[in-house]
Amino acid sequence: MRELTEDEAYRVTALLEKVVVGLASLGGHYHDNDEDLAWGLLYMFTPKLVNEASQVRSILFSKYNRELAEGEDMDELEKMFVNLAYRKTPTPKQIARFRQNRLKKQK
């Protein structure tokens, strides 16, 4: 793995700071109001922020060797992420059930 430049480290850290502080702020302000929290998340996660996250991901991924070694079927990153639990997009039914349960808790 290659090292990050000072500028790259700043960009990665700045994005994490924006996201973590923003999420903490939303959670603090709207901890008892799921609808406002949902709107706050939509407001916060603009296409610009998502694009910035994609750029930071590219910076980080560029530091790893993506070529396959002889006899290997996965590169360095694929091996690291083989057991990574990705968040799955909920189905409409799951969202409805989650919403119903949360609304019960708010009463």
Side-chain angles (χ1 to χ4, degrees):
M1 180 177 142
R2 294 177 283 159
E3 291 185 21
L4 294 170
T5 66
E6 188 173 338
D7 180 64
E8 290 169 334
Y10 170 79
R11 289 180 64 191
V12 170
T13 306
L15 173 71
L16 289 172
E17 185 70 4
K18 286 179 196 178
V19 171
V20 171
V21 170
L23 289 172
S25 178
L26 284 173
H29 281 85
Y30 305 114
H31 67 279
D32 60 349
N33 187 328
D34 285 349
E35 186 172 346
D36 284 349
L37 177 60
W39 283 109
L41 288 166
L42 284 172
Y43 182 86
M44 188 175 117
F45 283 93
T46 63
K48 182 179 178 183
L49 183 66
V50 172
N51 186 47
E52 185 179 348
S54 177
Q55 290 172 4
V56 164
R57 180 180 185 258
S58 292
I59 289 170
L60 294 173
F61 276 35
S62 74
K63 303 303 174 182
Y64 291 90
N65 182 358
R66 302 300 312 269
E67 294 184 23
L68 295 178
E70 188 173 331
E72 296 285 330
D73 61 350
M74 289 190 285
D75 66 32
E76 193 173 11
L77 281 172
E78 289 173 321
K79 289 176 186 175
M80 285 176 38
F81 295 148
V82 72
N83 291 317
L84 182 64
Y86 288 95
R87 299 298 303 185
K88 294 189 179 3
T89 303
T91 65
K93 186 176 182 178
Q94 289 171 316
I95 289 174
R97 189 176 330 119
F98 177 79
R99 183 171 187 253
Q100 184 177 34
N101 289 337
R102 292 294 295 231
L103 289 172
K104 284 180 187 176
K105 287 181 183 179
Q106 287 182 355
K107 291 180 180 179

